[in-house]
DNA sequence: GTCTATAGCTAGATAGAC
DNA sequence: GTCTATCTAGCTATAGAC
């Protein structure tokens, strides 16, 4: 076989960039192939089921990144709760590039995607809540408090991304990260 | 002239529904014409500049609704600050149908919309912040506190809409409305 | 595995009858 | 003002050479 011209990771990175900025319907095969560095037909060779398979692959790729760079920190028993929190939030900051990038779930769950990715969005959110809840328990919060705070973290992250993007003020996102950190450290 | 078959308000309501659920690119002229109750060519008679003009009209229509049903309450000098808040939040609850509906700005600002509606989204958010800030001042908050709380309100509303929609749990949105109300009333 | 070329379709938008 | 019929451009996807 001939060697791959472009590595899988490079393709996924390119595809992710387009899906995140344009959404599912908004991302054309032309956009996707240019960002991936492969012609359309070659993309179909890698993803025989087309655009949907590309979006799935991107979701899985990002999901793996989040596991490795955020959740693994939140749950790391070798760290103090304070350091789990700090390293976890550092991962969050990186995931969203300081507020410049949008949440891939949100980008893909609009439009036709509503039914297409509904289940994955729901599961994805529940995993975030579960893991932040475990962090809350490590801070000696009650089950209810830990769960409510986990949900609140999700709300504030998503909300601040929208507002930061809308206003063009990245500080809104950064302030929210600080606020979340302080809230856990204070009680 | 022949009478209009469908009233402007009915058209706008139909168009809004499609744009809110599918976004700008995701909303096809077929979808839009069916929801409006007019054939494509007739829609173009009403909106000669096409889809973009339809989206603009929807944005203006909703903006008027928000002025009348939310902001006018927040700024009503005949009411106590408590009642301004309660009536304003009641409008917010109605605007988003208890968490079932998505923010039109968000729906339209994805995809190709990024440059198309960027200015309108920014202005729209700033108006929300300005008006909630005035409410905060009526509650005797300092300028800084009033502004920060206004931004926080926007963040929590947008975030809770996303999380409520993603989890399929409308209570997330309702709880956030309660939390916002309590926060103002407490201090 | 990657490419050029193209099929088949649907999108947004118009023409012109009534 | 609304309709049917139609145009063109762009879309997703495929065929087949190398």
């Amino acid at each position: 076989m001939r060697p791959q011209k472009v590595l899988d990771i490079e393709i996924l990175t390119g595809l992710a960039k387009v899906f995140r900025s344009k959404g599912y319907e908004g991302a054309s095969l032309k956009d996707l192939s240019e960002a991936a560095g492969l012609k359309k037909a070659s993309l179909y060779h890698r993803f025989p089921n087309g655009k949907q398979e590309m979006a799935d692959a991107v979701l899985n790729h990002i999901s793996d990144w989040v596991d490795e760079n955020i959740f693994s920190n939140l749950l790391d028993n070798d760290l103090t709760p304070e350091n789990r929190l700090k390293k976890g939030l550092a991962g969050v900051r990186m995931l969203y590039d300081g507020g410049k990038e949008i949440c891939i779930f949100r980008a893909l769950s609009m439009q036709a995607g509503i039914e297409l990715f509904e289940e994955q969005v729901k599961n994805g959110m529940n995993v975030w809540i579960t893991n932040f809840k475990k962090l809350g328990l490590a801070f000696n919060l009650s089950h209810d408090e830990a769960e409510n705070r986990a949900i609140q973290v999700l709300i504030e992250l998503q909300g601040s991304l929208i507002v930061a993007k809308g206003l063009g003020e990245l500080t809104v996102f950064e302030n929210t990260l600080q606020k979340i950190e302080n809230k856990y450290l204070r009680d």
Side-chain angles (χ1 to χ4, degrees), chain A:
Chain A
M1 311 195 198
R2 302 198 186 174
Q4 291 186 341
K5 182 183 166 192
V6 181
L7 294 177
D8 282 2
I9 185 84
E10 294 172 317
I11 294 179
L12 288 173
T13 304
L15 297 181
K17 188 161 183 162
V18 177
F19 280 126
R20 272 170 97 143
S21 64
K22 301 206 171 190
Y24 186 75
E25 306 262 39
S28 73
L29 266 290
K30 189 168 171 289
D31 297 329
L32 293 166
S33 84
E34 284 169 4
L38 279 181
K39 296 292 176 184
K40 274 190 290 182
S42 307
L43 260 188
Y44 271 90
H45 179 81
R46 302 279 191 104
F47 305 95
N49 292 331
K51 197 170 164 179
Q52 164 95 49
E53 187 178 351
M54 297 178 208
D56 279 334
V58 166
L59 277 178
N60 287 329
H61 175 238
I62 294 186
S63 175
D64 288 346
W65 191 97
V66 169
D67 279 342
E68 203 167 325
N69 295 278
I70 300 179
F71 297 157
S72 74
N73 287 319
L74 292 182
L75 305 179
D76 186 344
N77 282 319
D78 294 341
L79 299 175
T80 62
E82 286 77 7
N83 281 330
R84 294 192 209 177
L85 173 61
K86 287 188 182 181
K87 294 186 79 169
L89 291 182
V92 173
R93 190 179 284 113
M94 202 180 302
L95 175 61
Y96 298 117
D97 196 8
K100 278 179 242 157
E101 286 280 2
I102 241 177
C103 174
I104 182 77
F105 283 130
R106 188 148 52 83
L108 289 180
S109 65
M110 280 295 305
Q111 323 155 48
I114 284 174
E115 293 168 18
L116 228 53
F117 299 105
E118 197 175 25
E119 204 58 30
Q120 298 185 54
V121 171
K122 188 172 177 176
N123 289 339
M125 281 193 181
N126 275 319
V127 175
W128 276 75
I129 292 172
T130 301
N131 287 323
F132 270 94
K133 180 176 177 179
K134 285 180 183 162
L135 177 71
L137 294 175
F139 272 101
N140 291 318
L141 297 178
S142 74
H143 272 271
D144 278 2
E145 282 173 326
E147 173 144 334
N148 286 336
R149 183 162 314 177
I151 293 172
Q152 185 67 15
V153 165
L154 205 56
I155 288 174
E156 295 189 5
L157 286 178
Q158 293 291 334
S160 66
L161 282 170
I162 290 182
V163 176
K165 194 90 176 167
L167 294 180
E169 288 280 357
L170 296 186
T171 50
V172 171
F173 180 65
E174 186 56 41
N175 290 343
T176 294
L177 285 178
Q178 271 302 330
K179 183 168 176 290
I180 291 170
E181 182 172 331
N182 291 338
K183 178 90 177 172
Y184 274 100
L185 296 183
R186 236 184 309 134
D187 14 60

